[in-house]
């Protein structure tokens, strides 16, 4: 819950940052760097303190928020946009969290942890490729 | 009661995940659709790419097969190491760093891994990682050079990494046959078949 709250708060904070502050490629590079670091840590079975995990997710939420900044419009349109984005981000973020937690803690399936590490390695590979692609694109 | 509610909540979440995740993945090809069938597109193009080339298929299955043959922890370490090093090869391809004899390297990966399985050679884990990693660079380079021209590079990457992982899993599943009577022979025969297939690619017969 702490992780989810940190992500949502940081996401809303990110929405408040003017879109022109950072270029999209810079945000993409940072997001992919974050994805690479997080998934590589999972793949390598490295355990992080809870504070670091919260910081990771807050950074991801902030960057996602910056990348999702709404265009200026009537307040109710903007409010609906923000609410929809928070819901979307929370949903996408919480699904892997709940599924992983269920398999590992509730079901105690040994292979589930290995499966999650394999999926993390795949995500790390994709993030690394995306970083290279962003850097290679003029 | 609370436990029951929690269980229902978890089940609902899993159901949501089961419904939403495929939609997220399958929602992409429509956006990546292009009228030119020859153009490298999105998820489906990336997903189908490893299946189009038998040299890729043989090598990916061989990695899983060899991992299963070597047992724990290689059974799951090799499929973790391979995509990571393959991505490094992909970075080289995207950056335009030339790599000599990429196609020969891909074909050689099937030959070497197939022979290792057929001869039932058990190497230390670190050697297995180096062998698989070296070949992963060739496979990644081949994918990486195609990536910049993709219509949707991220969904293309997700597709081919996912397909690679599924081929590893197929190899692992087949490799687990070594636990049943006659299974060891079946796995070694499969290794020999992979080596022959790789050799035919290397010699340009296939």
């Amino acid at each position: 819950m702490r992780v989810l709250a940190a992500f949502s708060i940081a996401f809303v904070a990110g929405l408040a940052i003017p879109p022109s502050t950072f270029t999209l490629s810079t945000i993409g590079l940072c997001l992919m760097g974050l994805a690479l670091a997080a998934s590589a840590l999972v793949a390598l079975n490295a355990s992080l303190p809870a504070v670091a995990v919260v910081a990771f997710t807050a950074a991801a939420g902030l960057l996602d928020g910056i990348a999702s900044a709404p265009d200026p419009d009537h307040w109710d349109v903007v409010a609906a946009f923000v609410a929809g984005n928070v819901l979307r981000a929370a949903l996408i973020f919480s699904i892997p969290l709940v599924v992983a937690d269920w398999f590992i803690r509730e079901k105690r399936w040994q292979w589930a942890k290995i499966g999650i590490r394999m999926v993390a390695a795949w995500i790390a590979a994709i993030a690394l490729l995306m970083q290279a692609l962003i850097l290679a694109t003029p | 009661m609370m436990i029951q509610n929690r269980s229902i909540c978890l089940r609902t979440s899993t159901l949501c995940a089961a419904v939403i995740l495929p939609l997220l993945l399958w929602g992409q090809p429509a956006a990546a659709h292009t009228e030119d069938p020859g153009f490298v597109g999105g998820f489906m193009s990336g997903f189908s790419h490893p299946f189009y080339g038998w040299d890729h298929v043989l090598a990916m299955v061989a990695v899983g097969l060899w991992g299963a043959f070597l047992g724990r922890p290689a059974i799951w370490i090799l499929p973790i190491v391979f995509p990571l090093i393959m991505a490094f090869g992909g970075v080289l391809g995207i950056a335009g760093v030339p790599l000599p004899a990429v196609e020969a390297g891909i074909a050689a990966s099937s030959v070497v891994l197939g022979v290792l399985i057929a001869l039932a050679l058990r190497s230390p884990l670190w050697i297995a990682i180096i062998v698989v990693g070296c070949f992963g660079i060739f496979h990644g380079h081949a994918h990486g050079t195609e990536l910049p021209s993709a219509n949707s590079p991220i969904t293309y990457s997700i597709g081919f990494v996912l397909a690679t992982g599924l081929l590893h899993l197929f190899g692992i599943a087949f490799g687990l046959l070594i636990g049943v009577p006659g299974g060891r022979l079946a796995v070694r025969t499969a290794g020999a078949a992979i080596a022959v297939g790789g050799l035919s690619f290397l010699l340009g017969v296939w």
Side-chain angles (χ1 to χ4, degrees):
Chain A
M1 277 311 285
R2 266 187 304 174
V3 169
L4 196 57
F7 184 86
S8 301
I9 292 166
F11 179 81
V12 175
L15 288 174
I17 294 172
S20 55
T21 311
F22 305 99
T23 61
L24 266 179
S25 59
T26 308
I27 298 167
L29 206 59
C30 294
L31 265 172
M32 289 302 147
L34 212 58
L36 174 62
S39 50
L41 284 168
V42 174
L44 297 171
N45 204 18
S47 56
L48 286 178
V51 180
V53 177
V54 171
F56 246 108
T57 47
L62 189 73
L63 287 166
D64 195 14
I66 296 169
S68 310
D71 292 326
D73 207 328
H74 199 258
W75 72 269
D76 55 342
V77 176
V78 175
F81 179 86
V82 171
N85 264 288
V86 170
L87 184 68
R88 183 264 307 168
L91 199 65
I92 291 175
F93 182 73
S94 56
I95 287 169
L97 197 73
V98 171
V99 171
D101 188 65
W102 185 63
F103 275 125
I104 292 171
R105 288 185 209 282
E106 296 281 323
K107 285 287 189 183
R108 295 185 183 278
W109 285 352
Q110 278 191 328
W111 61 265
K113 200 171 180 183
I114 293 170
I116 288 165
R117 287 181 65 184
M118 284 171 72
V119 172
W122 300 350
I123 294 171
I126 293 164
L128 185 60
L129 287 170
M130 286 305 101
Q131 275 200 312
L133 202 62
I134 292 168
L135 285 171
T137 308
Chain B
M1 189 68 179
M2 251 180 80
I3 293 169
Q4 197 181 3
N5 284 344
R6 197 177 171 203
S7 174
I8 291 167
C9 179
L10 282 168
R11 264 181 254 159
T12 314
S13 305
T14 312
L15 186 67
C16 287
V19 172
I20 293 167
L21 284 177
L23 284 176
L24 285 171
L25 292 173
W26 283 96
Q28 298 299 330
H33 179 74
T34 166
E35 286 181 10
D36 180 3
F39 190 65
V40 182
F43 176 79
M44 285 312 292
S45 294
F47 188 80
S48 56
H49 186 259
F51 293 102
Y52 278 135
W54 278 100
D55 46 352
H56 280 286
V57 173
L58 292 177
M60 304 299 161
V61 172
V63 169
L65 208 57
W66 197 36
F69 198 81
L70 292 175
R72 290 187 180 188
I75 190 170
W76 53 270
I77 284 184
L78 294 187
I80 287 175
V81 166
F82 190 85
L84 288 173
I85 299 180
M86 187 180 76
F88 175 69
V91 171
L92 295 179
I94 292 168
V97 177
L99 193 66
V102 174
E103 292 304 320
I106 291 169
S109 64
S110 303
V111 177
V112 172
L113 292 171
V115 166
L116 287 168
I117 297 163
L119 298 177
L121 291 174
R122 302 185 67 85
S123 72
L125 183 62
W126 65 273
I127 291 180
I129 289 173
I130 290 172
V131 169
V132 165
C134 286
F135 290 131
I137 290 175
F138 287 107
H139 286 267
H141 194 279
H143 289 302
T145 46
E146 286 190 16
L147 199 58
S149 60
N151 203 355
S152 172
I154 190 156
T155 51
Y156 182 87
S157 305
I158 292 169
F160 89 70
V161 172
L162 195 63
T164 300
L166 290 175
L167 287 169
H168 289 331
L169 290 179
F170 177 77
I172 289 171
F174 190 80
L176 290 175
L177 281 177
I178 54 170
V180 299
R184 195 176 169 84
L185 182 66
V187 171
R188 291 182 66 176
T189 307
I194 288 170
V196 170
L199 198 63
S200 65
F201 277 114
L202 205 58
L203 299 174
V205 178
W206 196 349

